[in-house]
Every structure is written in structure tokens, then in C-alpha cells.
Amino acid sequence: MTQHTAEAVDGGGTEYPRVLEEVRGLIADHLKIPLSEVTAETQLLNLPGVDSLKLLQGLLAVEDHFDIAFDEDEAPAVRSVAQVAALVAEALSSDRS
């Protein structure tokens, strides 16, 4: 995880709180589960009905929603909802740079 991503996970990114809520909603909608089951600390593979294919589909849905592409080196290491949100926040801030 890059330093910028680590800062975003800790809440250092200004976009992060909004992005986290959107990511939580996207994941809950994608899996058809209550939003309350998807927190920042939630481990993606521990969500109901998630396997590696659903995880990949979910990450692609997040990329499509935000019109971004995750860094191919960092995306496979993503384990939690917070890490997904951090990657999104990082990609959004990189697009503005």
C-alpha cells in the first residue's frame, strides 16, 4: 500500500469519508445485503456470498461507478472496505493532479 493510500485509510484524504460511504453502498447493493453489514473494517471475503469472482466483479463495479482504474499492483492486496475506499480516493486525487 502506498503512503497516500495508508493516509486515506487513516482518514487523511479529504475525499475519503464521502468515498467510503459510496463504496459501502455499492458493495451492499452489489451483494444485496443490508448496508449495516458493510463497515470500513469489514473484510471483503467475509461478506455473505462473496467468493473471488464476486469480489472481482464488485471491484470492477466500483471502478465503473467512479470512472477510475485501480493500480494493478495494489488492487490484489485489497482486503477491507476501507482499503477499497482508499484506492478510490487515491485514484480520484491522482486524476486531479
Side-chain angles (χ1 to χ4, degrees):
M1 190 178 319
T2 65
Q3 179 63 30
H4 184 79
T5 303
E7 288 170 5
V9 169
D10 292 335
T14 57
E15 294 268 343
Y16 182 75
R18 178 189 61 81
V19 168
L20 176 60
E21 290 310 306
E22 285 188 55
V23 167
R24 287 181 60 227
L26 288 167
I27 291 170
D29 288 347
H30 182 71
L31 296 175
K32 297 175 180 35
I33 60 174
L35 182 61
S36 61
E37 290 186 32
V38 184
T39 68
E41 296 79 26
T42 300
Q43 297 296 304
L44 297 169
L45 289 174
N46 291 341
L47 286 165
V50 171
D51 57 22
S52 57
L53 180 58
K54 279 217 178 197
L55 179 57
L56 177 60
Q57 290 170 337
L59 290 176
L60 292 173
V62 170
E63 284 182 323
D64 287 345
H65 175 81
F66 288 100
D67 194 27
I68 60 168
F70 291 131
D71 182 306
E72 292 179 18
D73 294 329
E74 291 184 349
V78 170
R79 299 286 182 256
S80 71
V81 174
Q83 289 174 324
V84 174
L87 285 178
V88 170
E90 181 177 8
L92 291 173
S93 68
S94 294
D95 286 347
R96 292 188 186 125
S97 300

